[in-house]
Amino acid sequence: MAARGPDMGRGARQSMTVRVARWSALHPWRAIVGWFVFVVLCLGAGITAGMNQAASEDFRVGEAGRAEALAAEGDLQIKPLEQILISAEPGRRLDARAADAAVADVTRRMRALPEVAEVQAPVRSKDGKVVRVPVTLKGPEQEGKKNVVPLRAETEKVKKAHPDVVVEETGAASVSKGVNDQRGKDLAFSEMITLPVTLITLALVFGSVLMVGVPLLLAITSIIATMGLAMLASHLLPDTGIGMNMILLIGMAVGVDYTLFYLKREREERARAGGRLSSEALVEAAAATAGRAIVVSGLAVIVSTAALYLAGDVIFDSLATGTILVVAVAVISSVTVLPAMLVKLGKRAERRAEKRRAQGKTVKADIEKPPGRVWNALLTPARKHPVATLCVSVLVMLGLALPAATMKLKDPARDSFSREIPAMQGYDRMLAAFPDLRIRYQVVVGSEAGQRDQVVGALRALDRKAAADPLLARHDKPVIKTSGDGRVSTLELGARHATYSEEAVDALDHIRDDYLPATVGKLDGVETGVSGDVPRGVDYVEHQSEKLPLVLGLLLLMTFAMTVYAFRSVVLGLLGIGLNLLSAASALGLLVLVFQGEWAEDLLSFVSLHGISSRVPLFLFVILFGLSMDYQVFVVSRIREAALNGVPTRQAVIDGIAASAKVVTSAAIVMVTVFASFVMLHILEMKQMGFVLAVAVLLDAFVIRVMILPAALLLLGRATWWPSKAVRRAEERLTRGYAAPAGESAEPPLAGAGTARER
């Protein structure tokens, strides 16, 4: 390799990032081929192992989870129930003969399916316009969306065989299957939006079609490799179906970001060298700065995301696993195959330049462009009026955060799903004809076999109390079941309210707090619980609320520790936590403002829960704290790099933020585009996650990093680096008339601080 430049000192030689980059630069084809072999092996291994889906028992939490486990012991757990609806065309009367023929056909076909446990007698609505045939599937609820496929196929056959009536199918299993199908279509639509915007953004940054392809290629291959690894990981931590969504969401964002940081720094080094250094030396120089920043940023995302495991929830386990894997793979691609690609592209550019010189043509030299007028204008308030800028910006962010104080956490349930799903259209028509079927509460009682009669009598008494409650549905007789050994008994109750409504929660409180203690609760030695969609949701929200302080506490601690490790500064650690909390709170405030009410329903196409999905705030804190470290590390690394070269802290802040402004903005645009595309999806929870992350990144990039951070650092001055004395010593050396030799510092130049370089 050609001789290294003055910036490649001892600190760089000791860096693993630089050593890996040097090997890739010296053996580019080995690195490139090795990367694609790695991707293929990961995907192949994942496909061979298959995906291990989470089972019903993996989702159990709280009292509802205990009740489900108890019911499962007696094989009385709630099983997937499908409803085949037969009705007339709108505006017409239902022909009894045609309806009976369709019912007989449905019953015959469904009973012949191995996935079906029972086909009950048909039930006619009070107005006689709709007939339903209840069909119970075999297996637990989580297997319903797989087992329901043959039922839907038979329903389509019945529909074609009986054109005089309307035949449709609905139920929890068919709705889940419809949601999965819709999610796949939504993600494809999201990619159609994200890719063009990413291409345009990268083209504006680099002005080269070839350079645009590199970030996209690495992001896509990183996502493919991670999908294979996620399949393998699912055999340790079961997948809930959300992990793959996170791989796509986070993978495209950080994959492009990391590559963008590295590419931009390599171009800056090339422009600064003016042709004096080889491509290998330029890549090595970029590895010593941007490469280290990427590694530390990736570690920060991984460490912060790992806090999700403390939530004790299979869904968050799946989210955390997908995010950690894709970030790790993106970091690996950025520090291994990316340097090799840059060397090959650099050699190509050098050959073209030599060819032009041989032909007597002028070769345009790379020039490091200063920040444009827009960025100078944006940074002017912080530079000239730091106190006013800091105060006004913080007040604006706090104002945006105010609505978060009214946030209500809820578990999104079936009623909130998109009506574009055919099964949801049938669901609405079923509830119009049979409103008492909206909610099922299952009271579960475990006892000794000899107490069977006492338990059944107590459940009948409970049923009488519930029948008199206006919040619960009327019924002709109690639905009581007892296991074969007489140890487990259940009672089913219904209600007409939306699953996420306050009335549904109040009805549950009446059952748990009033009717159950007054009846079954008086028996000695019995175990009781209430399960169903509403109890699950209520217990899940309570479970998340209990875990939130623990997860958030660890998140704050790890973010602080990573920042102190990266920059040797307690002040920056505390500042980073404060800024992250501020941007997260502001994003949550806007989320509540948009999604908790009804005014934006038509605009963003959703049904308001009058609350926020319980998983969104915790997910926001964890992911935002990790991703914001990208910007924090990249920006502050540039500032510290200049400060270690003896530049006064004030000037280092101005220069560092100005130098990183364009790449941070470009990265933010890509991230915001990826996240914002999820707002257009049909699943409400994904809408909320996409919205809150897009808003958070936008505020973080354009308010925190442009207004608040520079103003705070300018006011702090040299105190920014406390307790580290490296910056003070660098300034003292400059005052005495000399700069430190390359790489010489009292502390290792971590996190992209780079080696000391004379300017």
Side-chain angles (χ1 to χ4, degrees):
M1 189 173 71
R4 300 200 316 273
D7 50 338
M8 305 313 298
R10 291 197 305 272
R13 284 196 297 272
Q14 296 171 355
S15 166
M16 176 62 72
T17 304
V18 175
R19 291 202 298 270
V20 172
R22 183 186 304 138
W23 184 91
S24 296
L26 289 171
H27 311 91
W29 282 119
R30 291 186 191 178
I32 293 171
V33 172
W35 169 251
F36 284 102
V37 169
F38 169 75
V39 172
V40 172
L41 288 176
C42 288
L43 185 61
I47 293 174
T48 302
M51 182 69 79
N52 177 36
Q53 299 289 348
S56 296
E57 54 268 23
D58 294 319
F59 292 88
R60 293 171 183 165
V61 295
E63 179 186 327
R66 293 191 296 273
E68 288 173 32
L70 182 60
E73 291 178 12
D75 195 28
L76 295 177
Q77 69 272 30
I78 296 176
K79 295 181 180 179
L81 179 65
E82 289 293 290
Q83 303 282 359
I84 314 301
L85 306 178
I86 293 109
S87 60
E89 294 284 352
R92 298 177 60 183
R93 295 185 61 183
L94 180 63
D95 183 272
R97 184 174 299 177
D100 290 343
V103 167
D105 195 9
V106 165
T107 303
R108 177 181 59 81
R109 289 176 181 273
M110 295 302 170
R111 283 177 176 165
L113 293 175
E115 293 83 4
V116 172
E118 180 187 10
V119 180
Q120 299 176 29
V123 182
R124 188 177 293 269
S125 63
K126 290 182 178 180
D127 59 10
K129 294 181 179 180
V130 181
V131 178
R132 63 182 175 89
V133 180
V135 181
T136 304
L137 299 178
K138 293 179 180 178
E141 287 182 281
Q142 287 302 310
E143 293 182 9
K145 56 190 173 187
K146 177 182 66 177
N147 292 337
V148 79
V149 175
L151 275 73
R152 295 173 65 184
E154 293 301 321
T155 301
E156 288 299 316
K157 292 178 182 178
V158 174
K159 184 185 298 185
K160 293 178 180 178
H162 300 272
D164 295 337
V165 293
V166 176
V167 181
E168 52 191 338
E169 181 178 344
T170 189
S174 54
V175 168
S176 295
K177 181 66 170 63
V179 169
N180 279 357
D181 293 343
Q182 189 180 64
R183 183 185 290 118
K185 295 177 182 177
D186 283 350
L187 290 175
F189 175 73
S190 173
E191 291 168 6
M192 289 175 59
I193 297 173
T194 302
L195 288 177
V197 174
T198 303
L199 284 169
I200 293 171
T201 303
L202 294 174
L204 291 175
V205 173
F206 295 112
S208 166
V209 175
L210 200 59
M211 296 297 281
V212 166
V214 172
L216 283 179
L217 177 63
L218 291 187
I220 292 171
T221 53
S222 295
I223 289 171
I224 293 172
T226 306
M227 286 181 172
L229 293 175
M231 293 180 191
L232 295 174
S234 69
H235 293 274
L236 295 175
L237 295 170
D239 181 73
T240 60
I242 297 180
M244 288 298 182
N245 293 342
M246 287 305 101
I247 290 171
L248 289 169
L249 179 70
I250 304 298
M252 183 61 73
V254 300
V256 171
D257 271 12
Y258 293 161
T259 312
L260 189 60
F261 292 163
Y262 206 114
L263 284 170
K264 192 65 177 173
R265 189 56 187 257
E266 189 269 350
R267 292 191 68 168
E268 288 182 13
E269 297 292 346
R270 184 177 294 276
R272 185 178 291 117
R276 295 187 301 274
L277 297 177
S278 67
S279 293
E280 292 88 347
L282 294 171
V283 166
E284 195 172 337
T289 52
R292 288 188 193 141
I294 289 169
V295 170
V296 174
S297 295
L299 287 175
V301 177
I302 290 170
V303 168
S304 61
T305 304
L308 282 175
Y309 290 121
L310 293 179
D313 172 62
V314 66
I315 294 177
F316 277 121
D317 287 350
S318 186
L319 289 172
T321 301
T323 302
I324 288 171
L325 286 175
V326 78
V327 170
V329 173
V331 169
I332 291 170
S333 71
S334 297
V335 299
T336 57
V337 67
L338 179 57
M341 288 184 170
L342 291 181
V343 165
K344 298 304 295 183
L345 291 174
K347 293 291 186 184
R348 180 175 178 272
E350 290 169 7
R351 287 195 299 269
R352 292 179 62 183
E354 287 297 327
K355 185 176 180 181
R356 291 181 65 87
R357 290 191 188 96
Q359 295 173 349
K361 298 179 180 179
T362 303
V363 178
K364 185 178 179 181
D366 287 316
I367 300 174
E368 187 176 1
K369 296 180 181 179
R373 294 179 181 177
V374 174
W375 278 108
N376 277 325
L378 288 174
L379 292 170
T380 296
R383 186 172 65 245
K384 292 186 175 180
H385 310 286
V387 175
T389 300
L390 182 63
C391 292
V392 171
S393 300
V394 170
L395 286 175
V396 169
M397 295 289 280
L398 290 175
L400 294 176
L402 282 177
T406 64
M407 182 170 58
K408 298 177 181 178
L409 297 180
K410 295 192 176 184
D411 183 58
R414 190 181 310 131
D415 291 296
S416 68
F417 293 151
S418 169
R419 266 50 188 178
E420 291 187 19
I421 299 172
M424 284 304 300
Q425 298 171 14
Y427 175 75
D428 288 338
R429 281 188 280 272
M430 181 189 72
L431 293 182
F434 306 95
D436 293 344
L437 297 179
R438 184 183 290 270
I439 297 177
R440 295 165 72 188
Y441 300 100
Q442 186 185 47
V443 181
V444 185
V445 183
S447 65
E448 295 297 327
Q451 293 180 290
R452 174 176 178 172
D453 293 340
Q454 289 179 289
V455 170
V456 171
L459 287 176
R460 291 183 184 277
L462 192 158
D463 183 76
R464 287 192 295 273
K465 290 179 177 292
D469 192 329
L471 289 175
L472 294 166
R474 299 287 186 270
H475 51 272
D476 297 330
K477 59 181 181 179
V479 182
I480 298 176
K481 298 178 183 179
T482 303
S483 62
D485 61 7
R487 295 178 180 275
V488 181
S489 299
T490 63
L491 166 68
E492 287 194 9
L493 302 172
R496 300 185 174 195
H497 316 291
T499 47
Y500 53 79
S501 66
E502 296 295 333
E503 293 84 354
V505 176
D506 290 341
L508 174 63
D509 291 339
H510 289 184
I511 297 170
R512 282 180 168 175
D513 301 336
D514 300 329
Y515 308 145
L516 196 54
T519 55
V520 182
K522 291 184 176 181
L523 301 178
D524 294 330
V526 299
E527 182 181 357
T528 64
V530 184
S531 185
D533 288 341
V534 175
R536 287 172 189 161
V538 170
D539 292 349
Y540 186 82
V541 172
E542 184 179 348
H543 174 77
Q544 291 303 314
S545 299
E546 290 175 355
K547 295 292 184 178
L548 182 60
L550 178 63
V551 176
L552 189 56
L554 179 64
L555 180 62
L556 294 175
L557 178 62
M558 296 310 298
T559 301
F560 175 77
M562 289 296 294
T563 305
V564 173
Y565 167 78
F567 302 113
R568 299 297 192 266
S569 169
V570 171
V571 174
L572 281 174
L574 295 173
L575 183 62
I577 288 175
L579 296 183
N580 285 344
L581 286 173
L582 190 60
S583 58
S586 300
L588 282 177
L590 288 172
L591 179 72
V592 170
L593 194 64
V594 172
F595 283 93
Q596 194 156 290
E598 299 179 356
W599 67 271
E601 284 184 325
D602 293 334
L603 181 65
L604 298 179
S605 185
F606 68 93
V607 177
S608 176
L609 293 175
H610 299 288
I612 303 302
S613 173
S614 61
R615 285 184 284 265
V616 171
L618 186 55
F619 180 74
L620 167 69
F621 278 112
V622 172
I623 299 301
L624 178 63
F625 268 59
L627 294 181
S628 66
M629 281 293 287
D630 283 347
Y631 303 145
Q632 182 84 346
V633 169
F634 190 71
V635 173
V636 178
S637 291
R638 301 300 295 267
I639 297 171
R640 187 170 187 261
E641 183 181 345
L644 287 175
N645 284 325
V647 178
T649 297
R650 175 180 173 82
Q651 190 60 42
V653 170
I654 296 171
D655 292 347
I657 290 180
S660 57
K662 186 175 181 180
V663 68
V664 167
T665 307
S666 304
I669 290 173
V670 172
M671 269 197 181
V672 169
T673 303
V674 173
F675 295 146
S677 67
F678 274 58
V679 179
M680 301 181 189
L681 306 188
H682 292 87
I683 301 170
L684 180 58
E685 189 172 50
M686 297 304 295
K687 279 180 179 288
Q688 292 184 355
M689 284 184 177
F691 177 87
V692 77
L693 283 174
V695 168
V697 171
L698 200 63
L699 292 173
D700 194 80
F702 289 94
V703 180
I704 298 292
R705 306 300 158 197
V706 175
M707 301 290 180
I708 298 178
L709 179 63
L713 295 181
L714 288 173
L715 291 173
L716 287 168
R718 188 184 289 176
T720 297
W721 315 110
W722 185 86
S724 172
K725 299 178 181 179
V727 171
R728 187 183 68 184
R729 286 196 292 266
E731 291 181 359
E732 290 173 352
R733 284 195 299 268
L734 188 66
T735 302
R736 291 196 297 268
Y738 69 94
E744 191 172 292
S745 174
E747 306 169 78
L750 295 169
T755 54
R757 177 190 299 119
E758 294 195 36
R759 294 186 181 275

